[in-house]
């Protein structure tokens, strides 16, 4: 049992070393081949089986040793008894053993000890007092014999209590005596006692024989060791053969399959050849499954590549569509002129949207306004939106009133609308001469009036464009005073939903409106809606337009320095605060001089308007394109007279500097905030 434990301890120690080494490899897993795992499992099975067999054999070995030693001792006693019978020994011979004992001592007993591996053979009698009187004792080894002589074992009287076997022999209960295990100073032996009776039936002597237990156990241990050796050799040979077969039938096919998997992961275009097998097992099933998986995965990769290519192409198309839509309906647009200030924003829920708006000047000196919402989303809705916007824009440019323009547009859409799209539209025309806004509605949200008071304007609902050929639309008008305005919006504002499922609603929209100018109002509402919905929960397009009536003066100037007096007169007459008027005049004169000196323009249009707390000064010239907002050059002090100082001064003195290139004209707007200290 010790050698199995030593092997197991050595194996566990090596495993701990491997585990410690693996920890030092920065988390790398220890690679143990499958064949090694099988070998380790077989070794563990051997150790457990060997230990179990050793425990069982150890418990049985002593029993077998006692039986074998008892048989040897009994056989020795029987040989002595047979010899006494043949030699016709009588009880009187044992009273004076000098005549017959030399033969026993010198020849018979040593031969019996040697032949049967007995440690002692002896004769003794028992008197009436139960004392033993040793007549003759012969030991197999000279060392044991000398020990007996030293202690005077012959003629030694022993007063130790008689054993059960001895009592049975003396009382005639057992003619063969019995076995007894004794472990004392004379050794660890199995003792057998046999009585010898003479012809008269008297007990002549007790014959005793001791077989050495250690010797017998040692012999049996050698036999067991030999058997273990033979069994171990047979087990090793069998194990090697089993491992070889496992390598051929299991490990090698799995390794081949693993290489195929590795190569397939590196190159998914590789073809996995089909191999014929004479027999089928789990490994062949794995390879068949892998082959099918490889085919499916290859097809899946092809599909993914095709889908990725299609998506990339679709993304490009969506990007182009968005750019085109932004060209027609920019995310933000500001218009100031003809007695009004308009600011519009549009934020699509997807890449492209179905909402639209438009702000454009009409040939009769008026301004056209459009806002609409197309059913659906995506590219289809965007295409339909462009058609609706184009038709309405063209009709309003011909001088049609909004209701008639909607009617003509509805007729054209109903004739050519294969996908069944429809739209809600609010169309209006602003007349700066009297401050009136003429409008017509086609199923759109009613506008909200702001400025002196905030209220929703009741409008005729009208029919949605594209549904019915005989739809009816009606013109209505509203008069706006200076500082008043109208807010137009799509249902993406009021129907916006937050993550909790609450709708934004018209009530919240009305509460959010206050006396703000158009740009500030539209931006504020848009930001509030986006914050309400959350960045990742935008469900519908959001579009807003605010038009407000403003105080405005417009003059045409010749690009000559002599026109500075006219420019000063208009500015000083429009701005009542002398300090603010001087402040605005400095910037206006500086930019007008730059136009005259560098632009090459033949005409200059000058506007000055008041919108809430802001005063906006606009110059529109037909000169060479030049964007002052992008001019970043800084010059040394001695070179400032060559240009550039005026732009820097205007940037510092204005609240905002804007530039647009509209219809071959440079449009520059200087914005001043009257609420700030000058």
């Amino acid at each position: 049992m010790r050698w199995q434990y030593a092997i197991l301890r050595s194996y566990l120690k090596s495993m701990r070393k491997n585990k410690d080494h693996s920890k030092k490899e920065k988390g790398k897993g220890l690679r143990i081949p499958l064949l090694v795992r099988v070998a380790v499992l077989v070794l563990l099975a051997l150790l457990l089986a060997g230990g179990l067999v050793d425990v069982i054999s150890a418990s049985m070995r002593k029993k077998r040793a006692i039986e074998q030693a008892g048989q040897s001792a009994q056989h020795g006693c029987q040989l002595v008894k047979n010899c006494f019978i043949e030699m016709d020994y009588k009880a009187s011979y044992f009273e004076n053993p000098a005549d017959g004992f030399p033969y026993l001592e010198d020849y018979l007993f040593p031969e019996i000890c040697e032949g049967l591996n007995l440690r002692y053979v002896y004769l003794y009698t028992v008197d009436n007092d139960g004392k033993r009187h040793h007549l003759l004792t012969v030991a197999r080894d000279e060392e044991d014999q000398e020990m007996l002589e030293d202690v005077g074992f012959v003629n030694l009287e022993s007063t130790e209590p008689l054993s059960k076997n001895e009592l049975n022999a003396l009382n005639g209960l057992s003619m063969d005596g019995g076995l007894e295990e004794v472990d004392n100073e004379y050794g660890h032996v199995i003792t057998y006692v046999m009585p010898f009776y003479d012809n008269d039936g008297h007990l002549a002597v007790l014959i005793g024989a001791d077989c050495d237990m250690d010797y017998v156990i040692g012999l049996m241990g050698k036999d067991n060791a030999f058997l273990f050796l033979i069994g171990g050799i047979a087990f090793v040979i069998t194990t090697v053969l089993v491992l070889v077969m496992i390598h051929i039938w299991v490990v090698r096919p799995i390794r081949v399959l693993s290489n195929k998997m590795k190569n397939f992961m590196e190159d998914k275009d590789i073809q996995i050849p089909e191999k014929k097998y004479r027999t089928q097992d789990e490994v062949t099933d794995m390879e068949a499954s892998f082959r099918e998986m490889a085919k499916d995965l290859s097809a899946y990769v092809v599909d993914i590549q095709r889908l990725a290519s299609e998506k990339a192409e679709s993304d490009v198309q969506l990007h182009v569509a968005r750019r085109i839509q932004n060209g027609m309906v920019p995310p933000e647009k500001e218009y100031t002129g003809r007695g009004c200030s308009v600011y519009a924003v549009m934020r699509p829920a997807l890449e492209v949207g179905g909402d639209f708006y438009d702000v454009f000047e009409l040939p009769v000196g008026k301004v056209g306004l459009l806002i609409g919402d197309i059913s659906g989303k995506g590219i289809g809705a965007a295409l339909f939106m462009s058609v609706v916007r184009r038709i309405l824009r063209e009709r309003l440019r011909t001088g049609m009133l909004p209701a008639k323009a909607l009617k003509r547009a509805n007729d054209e859409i109903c004739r050519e609308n294969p996908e069944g799209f429809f739209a809600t539209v609010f169309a209006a025309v602003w007349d700066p001469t009297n401050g009136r806004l003429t409008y017509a509605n086609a199923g759109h949200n009613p506008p909200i009036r702001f400025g002196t008071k905030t209220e929703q304007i009741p409008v005729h609902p009208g029919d949605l464009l594209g549904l019915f050929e005989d739809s009816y639309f009606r013109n209505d008008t509203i008069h706006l005073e200076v500082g008043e305005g109208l807010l137009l919006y799509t249902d993406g504002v009021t129907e916006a939903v937050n993550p909790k499922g609450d709708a934004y609603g018209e009530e919240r929209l009305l509460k959010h409106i206050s006396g703000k100018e158009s740009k500030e109002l539209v931006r504020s509402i848009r930001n509030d809606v986006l914050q309400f919905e959350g960045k990742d929960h935008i469900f519908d397009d959001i579009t807003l337009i605010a038009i407000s009536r403003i105080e405005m003066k417009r003059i045409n100037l010749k690009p000559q320095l002599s026109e500075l007096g006219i420019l000063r007169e208009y500015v000083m007459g429009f701005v009542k605060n002398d300090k603010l008027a001087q402040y605005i005049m400095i910037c206006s004169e500086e930019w007008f001089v730059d136009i005259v000196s560098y632009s090459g323009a033949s005409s200059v249009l000058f506007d000055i308007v008041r919108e809430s707390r802001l005063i906006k000064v606009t110059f529109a010239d037909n000169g060479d394109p030049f964007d002052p907002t992008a001019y970043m050059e800084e010059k040394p002090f001695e070179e400032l007279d060559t240009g550039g100082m005026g732009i820097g001064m205007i940037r510092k003195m204005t609240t905002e500097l804007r530039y647009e290139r509209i219809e071959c004209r440079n449009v520059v707007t200087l914005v001043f905030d009257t609420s700030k200290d000058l």
Side-chain angles (χ1 to χ4, degrees), residues 303-478:
D303 291 340
I304 289 297
Q305 291 174 345
R306 177 178 56 81
L307 291 175
S309 177
E310 293 176 356
K311 186 178 184 304
E313 184 178 355
S314 176
D315 290 343
V316 171
Q317 294 176 356
L318 283 173
H319 182 66
V320 173
R322 182 173 179 82
R323 291 179 61 184
I324 293 174
Q325 187 180 49
N326 287 344
M328 295 186 296
V329 187
E332 297 187 27
K333 184 174 182 178
E334 184 174 13
Y335 170 82
T336 302
R338 299 190 178 182
C340 69
S341 173
V342 182
Y343 190 80
V345 296
M346 199 274 280
R347 190 189 191 286
L350 302 178
E351 192 72 17
V352 292
D355 284 6
F356 71 94
Y357 70 84
D358 204 356
V359 181
F360 50 94
E361 293 185 353
L362 300 177
V364 293
K366 300 179 181 180
V367 177
L369 296 174
L370 292 172
I371 185 171
D373 185 1
I374 307 299
S375 61
K377 302 179 181 65
I379 294 181
L383 290 174
F384 188 73
M385 175 273 296
S386 65
V387 173
V388 174
R389 174 181 172 275
R390 177 186 58 80
I391 294 174
L392 288 172
R393 186 184 180 105
E394 290 175 356
R395 296 297 175 268
L396 291 176
R397 280 185 177 276
T398 62
M400 290 184 181
L401 291 177
K404 188 175 182 179
L406 289 175
K407 176 63 177 175
R408 293 288 179 87
N410 182 71
D411 294 341
E412 291 188 35
I413 293 171
C414 288
R415 287 195 299 268
E416 300 178 357
N417 186 15
E419 297 299 325
F421 282 105
F422 57 88
T424 67
V425 180
F426 186 92
V429 174
W430 166 254
D431 187 351
T433 59
N434 53 19
R436 289 189 177 276
L437 189 73
T438 303
Y439 59 87
N441 190 32
H444 201 75
N445 304 85
I448 297 175
R449 186 172 188 165
F450 65 91
T452 55
K453 58 181 177 179
T454 300
E455 60 180 355
Q456 196 172 57
I457 303 300
V459 297
H460 183 267
D463 296 327
L464 281 71
L465 292 187
L467 285 184
F468 310 108
E469 293 184 359
D470 57 347
S471 295
Y472 170 73
F473 306 97
R474 189 182 75 185
N475 287 319
D476 289 303
T477 60
I478 184 173

Side-chain angles (χ1 to χ4, degrees), residues 8 39 47 50 167 172 181 225 242 309 323 472 489 506 520 564 594 632:
L8 182 60
L47 294 175
L167 292 174
E181 184 178 2
V242 170
S309 177
R323 291 179 61 184
Y472 170 73
Y489 57 92
E506 294 182 354
E520 184 180 356
L564 284 173
D594 285 347
M632 303 299 294

Side-chain angles (χ1 to χ4, degrees), residues 477-493:
T477 60
I478 184 173
H479 178 77
L480 299 177
E481 300 291 343
V482 175
E484 290 185 332
L486 210 63
L487 175 68
L488 310 175
Y489 57 92
T490 61
D491 58 9
V493 175

Side-chain angles (χ1 to χ4, degrees), residues 60-314:
M60 298 178 63
R61 192 180 304 133
K62 183 175 181 180
K63 183 178 180 181
R64 293 199 305 270
I66 292 174
E67 292 177 355
Q68 185 174 345
Q71 291 175 1
S72 297
Q74 183 180 6
H75 194 193
C77 292
Q78 189 63 46
L79 288 177
V80 174
K81 182 177 180 179
N82 292 339
C83 180
F84 287 170
I85 293 173
E86 291 178 3
M87 296 177 69
D88 196 19
Y89 271 67
K90 298 183 182 297
S92 58
Y93 291 166
F94 298 101
E95 296 176 0
N96 186 18
D99 294 335
F101 283 9
Y103 167 75
L104 300 177
E105 183 178 3
D106 297 334
Y107 177 73
L108 181 60
F109 282 16
E111 287 293 333
I112 292 175
C113 287
E114 187 67 27
L116 297 176
N117 292 321
L118 300 177
R119 189 166 185 176
Y120 304 107
V121 177
Y122 47 89
L123 301 174
Y124 66 98
T125 61
V126 179
D127 59 19
N128 293 330
D129 296 330
K131 294 181 179 179
R132 300 182 187 88
H133 298 276
H134 292 273
L135 305 178
L136 176 63
T137 302
V138 176
R140 184 185 60 185
D141 295 336
E142 294 182 359
E143 183 179 352
D144 290 338
Q145 190 65 40
E146 291 177 358
M147 179 188 65
L148 295 175
E149 293 176 356
D150 291 339
V151 299
F153 198 79
V154 179
N155 297 323
L156 179 66
E157 292 184 358
S158 176
T159 59
E160 292 184 6
L162 298 177
S163 66
K164 181 179 179 180
N165 293 332
E166 292 174 323
L167 292 174
N168 290 337
L170 292 176
N171 296 327
L173 298 177
S174 175
M175 296 298 294
D176 295 329
L179 297 177
E180 182 181 2
E181 184 178 2
V182 178
D183 189 2
N184 54 27
E185 68 271 15
Y186 300 109
H188 183 202
V189 296
I190 294 296
T191 298
Y192 191 87
V193 178
M194 180 180 291
F196 173 67
Y197 297 92
D198 60 13
N199 295 331
D200 297 331
H202 297 101
L203 180 63
V205 72
L206 293 175
I207 305 170
D210 294 345
C211 185
D212 193 349
M213 278 288 291
D214 294 335
Y215 178 76
V216 175
I217 291 175
L219 290 177
M220 296 184 68
K222 291 179 181 179
D223 293 340
N224 289 339
F226 179 74
L227 292 176
F228 271 111
L229 177 61
I230 299 300
I233 294 173
F235 178 81
V236 170
I237 295 173
T238 305
T239 302
V240 171
L241 292 176
V242 170
L243 293 178
V244 170
M245 299 310 295
I246 290 176
H247 176 75
I248 295 173
W249 290 342
V250 180
V251 176
R252 186 165 63 186
I254 291 177
R255 187 174 296 165
V256 172
L257 180 60
S258 175
N259 291 332
K260 289 181 180 179
M261 290 181 177
K262 182 178 180 181
N263 294 333
F264 179 76
M265 293 305 297
E266 293 175 355
D267 184 8
K268 294 180 177 57
D269 295 329
I270 190 173
Q271 297 295 325
I272 307 298
E274 185 173 357
K275 187 176 179 181
K276 300 291 185 180
Y277 292 97
R278 295 181 180 179
T279 59
Q280 301 293 324
D281 55 20
E282 288 80 359
V283 177
T284 58
D285 293 342
M286 289 173 57
E287 185 166 357
S289 299
F290 167 69
R291 193 182 303 108
E292 292 298 323
M293 182 196 70
K295 292 180 182 179
D296 295 341
L297 188 59
S298 297
Y300 178 74
V301 170
V302 172
D303 291 340
I304 289 297
Q305 291 174 345
R306 177 178 56 81
L307 291 175
S309 177
E310 293 176 356
K311 186 178 184 304
E313 184 178 355
S314 176

